[in-house]
Amino acid sequence: MKIATFNINNINKRLSNLLAWLRAARPDVVCLQELKSTDADFPVAALRRAGYEAVWRGQKSWNGVAILARGKEPVLTRSELPGAPDDDQSRYIEAAVNGILVGCLYAPNGNPQPGPKFTYKLAWLERLIRHAAALKAERVPVILIGDYNVVPTERDIYPTKSYAKDALVQPQSRAAFARLLKQGWTDAIRAMHPDERIYTFWDYMRNRWPRDAGLRLDHILLSPDLAERLKASGVDRAVRGEPNASDHAPVWADLGPSTPVRKFAAPKPPKRKASARKTRGGAKPERRPLLVVDGDSFAHRAYHALPKTIMRRGDRPAGAILGFANMLLRLYQQERPRAVLVAWDTLGASTYRHRRYPAYQGGRHFDDAIIEQLEALPEFVKACGFKTAKRAGYEADDFLAAAAAAEEKRKGTVLVASGDRDSFQLASPATTILYPVRAGEMARIGPAEVRARYGVEPRQVPDFVALRGDPSDKLPGVPGVGPQGAAALIRRYGSLEEVLAAGKFPALAEQLRLFRAIATMNPKAPLPKLPDQTPTWDRAARLTSGWQLNRLAERLQALARSTS
């Protein structure tokens, strides 16, 4: 297995360079940094034609990271470095590929130093060190790979004094990198080339490439079990000398097969309980989760993300159908659930929330095109062999809560896919929220991530929403109390009720209790029975073929053939 890292320094500007190197080097996994591309402009189609699937987190003008895998889709596990929920810089992404957890990173440059950029760099490296320790403690195969923006030693820079004040070589930067290695990670380049001067970066300025005035900034760090599999490593220097080249060269490592073959288990997931299915020979049954999907949430995301020119038979709109279907199939293939439930709102039917607070969700207007597709999508879900939940008086959120509660009661595990952050209240050791972040990527939200994002426990999310407010649902909250203030109050007093008991906001007390009730999902919503399911891809293929969504029908037919 060949794994590589390449700071591409603008992926669209240097796409031809990247594709040429991919054809020549044929790495199995590639981590890219400095995409300098928005999510929407990431060249996924060109990479797919080259044989690579991808997950990515872009950012306009600078930053951006991606993981490519040859012939298979990386399974996203994280799209940000934990520890600073307000950090909006796209510098870390993590995915499982071929049984290995790959953390792709682009550490801050830190210049000029001293100053706020250098302070941010050191804080970011501290977060990386903490996260690396947590990953290593899980005892799974891990690679931390990318542009660290650290020159570890004097052997890693050409003889010069011109970088003496640069953040890349400061003692604090080097000390952070050394502490990372001390955890037990192996530097793949140094392991194979302990004494050589090896560079990965040559600045465009001062003729540094022709005179080989380089630095080693790009590193591949291997967990102990992967270090045992290391066969070779190197730098594809020639790529730096091509026209229109990045100022970095690709760095790679070859790993031999594992003995025995180990399967990746994502860090700290809840243990998946056995499904009711029995296996032959008394073997332990496969542990598979229940997947519960907020249908309206993903249908609306697809409708607004895809061109309105996508049509089905009869010149009827189909963008939301196509986008939702692709999401559902991708989730099923990634997660392999025992069963799938898709929950829906009932448009035009009020709930107790509307009756108790008439302003709830006021002003929402849906195009006729999305309403028509929302009526068709449950038919697609049923054709796939999955269950739906929809009833007047309940919202999709309520079915999510009810399904999670029922599955946890039977000692199962749950994946709740929703773009509504109210669903974070369902996070538990047995329930993980799959929250869309960008371009088809899902962040996995458990109790720790809720605490990191909001500063409260999952069960406290409705109290938090009541105090903070929710503009999308037209809940005003307490004037002048933002997210930080709401979290601080709940941490101090423990609940909204205790905040009110302490004499806070007496004039708003009843209204705040109402907002909390509105934000609380109803775990008693009626559900269909949810036995283990076998998808009926062939039925879904016939349905979508009749809709003249031919590419989708072909994908479903391929799934039917692969499982027959």
Side-chain angles (χ1 to χ4, degrees):
M1 183 177 182
K2 184 176 184 179
I3 297 184
T5 180
F6 192 0
N7 181 319
I8 194 62
N9 191 11
N10 194 321
I11 190 170
N12 288 303
K13 182 178 180 179
R14 306 187 206 286
L15 182 59
S16 61
N17 299 62
L18 174 61
L19 295 175
W21 172 70
L22 291 174
R23 287 193 297 270
R26 291 182 58 78
D28 297 292
V29 180
V30 183
C31 292
L32 301 176
Q33 303 86 40
E34 211 171 344
L35 302 178
K36 296 183 177 179
S37 165
T38 62
D39 288 329
D41 291 333
F42 184 82
V44 61
L47 292 169
R48 188 167 289 149
R49 288 193 296 271
Y52 287 84
E53 297 295 332
V55 292
W56 65 94
R57 183 185 175 195
Q59 192 161 20
K60 186 177 181 180
S61 301
W62 66 87
N63 300 337
V65 284
I67 299 174
L68 318 183
R70 183 158 59 91
K72 59 183 60 184
E73 188 169 351
V75 179
L76 183 75
T77 57
R78 183 176 290 277
S79 59
E80 59 189 18
L81 191 63
D86 295 332
D87 187 353
D88 60 357
Q89 296 197 30
S90 299
R91 294 189 174 275
Y92 188 84
I93 193 169
E94 192 175 279
V97 186
N98 283 348
I100 295 175
L101 184 65
V102 180
C104 172
L105 62 98
Y106 177 42
N109 175 279
N111 285 306
Q113 73 82 31
K117 291 186 177 181
F118 189 58
T119 300
Y120 171 68
K121 176 192 184 86
L122 296 180
W124 195 94
L125 290 173
E126 287 298 321
R127 289 161 53 202
L128 177 64
I129 290 168
R130 290 195 298 270
H131 185 53
L135 293 177
K136 190 168 179 295
E138 294 297 326
R139 300 183 183 276
V140 297
V142 183
I143 295 179
L144 293 176
I145 179 172
D147 181 355
Y148 282 72
N149 266 316
V150 175
V151 177
T153 70
E154 290 304 309
R155 286 179 301 161
D156 302 302
I157 184 171
Y158 73 103
T160 181
K161 294 183 179 180
S162 61
Y163 278 91
K165 295 184 179 181
D166 197 286
L168 307 177
V169 302
Q170 293 309 299
Q172 301 98 312
S173 304
R174 288 176 166 175
F177 189 80
R179 286 170 52 213
L180 191 59
L181 291 178
K182 197 171 182 179
Q183 292 178 349
W185 303 91
T186 294
D187 181 340
I189 290 293
R190 278 290 164 239
M192 304 304 296
H193 311 276
D195 301 315
E196 296 180 40
R197 283 193 175 271
I198 293 180
Y199 308 138
T200 67
F201 166 84
W202 297 260
D203 197 289
Y204 294 124
M205 305 292 289
R206 300 180 182 177
N207 213 33
R208 285 191 171 112
W209 166 247
R211 59 191 181 92
D212 198 25
L215 296 76
R216 189 168 76 98
L217 302 178
D218 307 88
H219 309 301
I220 301 175
L221 302 191
L222 306 174
S223 60
D225 44 1
L226 293 182
E228 295 176 358
R229 296 169 51 185
L230 180 62
K231 302 299 182 184
S233 64
V235 180
D236 288 344
R237 286 175 53 104
V239 175
R240 174 63 178 84
E242 297 293 333
N244 192 42
S246 169
D247 44 7
H248 292 250
V251 183
W252 54 269
D254 272 336
L255 304 179
S258 62
T259 308
V261 175
R262 297 178 63 187
K263 292 186 177 181
F264 164 74
K268 292 186 179 177
K271 291 183 178 180
R272 293 180 173 180
K273 303 300 181 182
S275 70
R277 181 182 304 173
K278 295 182 179 179
T279 56
R280 294 181 180 178
K284 290 183 179 180
E286 184 181 6
R287 294 175 174 178
R288 301 165 67 197
L290 172 68
L291 174 62
V292 190
V293 180
D294 183 339
D296 290 82
S297 172
F298 286 97
H300 280 281
R301 290 178 69 90
Y303 177 72
H304 292 291
L306 294 178
K308 304 301 184 290
T309 54
I310 298 174
M311 296 292 176
R312 55 190 166 116
R313 181 187 292 275
D315 202 31
R316 300 168 73 181
I321 294 172
L322 184 61
F324 177 90
N326 286 333
M327 177 281 304
L328 185 62
L329 298 186
R330 182 170 61 249
L331 270 183
Y332 188 89
Q333 290 177 288
Q334 289 176 353
E335 306 298 343
R336 299 295 179 185
R338 71 165 191 84
V340 177
L341 173 71
V342 182
W344 304 96
D345 294 336
T346 301
L347 298 183
S350 64
T351 68
Y352 71 92
R353 297 177 175 93
H354 299 89
R355 290 190 291 272
R356 293 185 63 187
Y357 186 64
Y360 177 64
Q361 296 182 338
R364 290 188 177 183
H365 172 76
F366 300 144
D367 296 343
D368 291 341
I370 181 62
I371 292 174
E372 179 182 330
Q373 292 175 83
L374 285 170
E375 293 172 352
L377 273 169
E379 183 181 1
F380 171 77
V381 172
K382 292 177 183 177
C384 289
F386 303 147
K387 293 288 187 176
T388 64
K390 181 177 181 179
R391 182 178 292 190
Y394 297 92
E395 296 182 24
D397 284 354
D398 299 323
F399 299 114
L400 305 185
E407 192 71 5
E408 288 192 9
K409 185 176 181 180
R410 68 187 296 273
K411 307 302 182 184
T413 59
V414 191
L415 296 171
V416 175
S418 175
D420 186 347
R421 294 184 183 182
D422 285 356
S423 64
F424 289 5
Q425 66 190 266
L426 303 179
S428 76
T431 297
T432 299
I433 313 304
L434 303 179
Y435 182 74
V437 286
R438 53 182 56 80
E441 300 176 12
M442 299 279 192
R444 304 181 87 88
I445 307 296
E449 286 73 26
V450 175
R451 289 191 290 269
R453 285 169 179 256
Y454 282 173
V456 301
E457 297 295 326
R459 60 181 172 77
Q460 297 170 321
V461 167
D463 302 62
F464 172 82
V465 171
L467 289 165
R468 180 207 61 184
D470 187 344
S472 66
D473 286 340
K474 297 297 187 292
L475 303 181
V478 177
V481 175
Q484 293 182 352
L489 284 167
I490 292 170
R491 286 196 300 270
R492 179 178 179 184
Y493 293 100
S495 69
L496 173 64
E497 203 57 46
E498 292 301 320
V499 170
L500 299 176
K504 303 289 185 181
F505 320 118
L508 298 174
E510 291 309 309
Q511 188 176 48
L512 290 173
R513 290 187 178 100
L514 172 60
F515 294 163
R516 179 185 58 196
I518 287 173
T520 301
M521 297 178 174
N522 182 2
K524 296 183 179 180
L527 293 174
K529 292 183 179 179
L530 292 170
D532 290 2
Q533 299 165 349
T534 300
T536 51
W537 304 127
D538 52 343
R539 286 177 52 204
R542 289 193 297 271
L543 175 67
T544 52
S545 178
W547 284 346
Q548 294 183 343
L549 296 176
N550 297 327
R551 292 285 295 276
L552 177 58
E554 291 170 5
R555 183 178 178 186
L556 288 160
Q557 288 165 355
L559 283 172
R561 288 192 297 269
S562 68
T563 55
S564 60

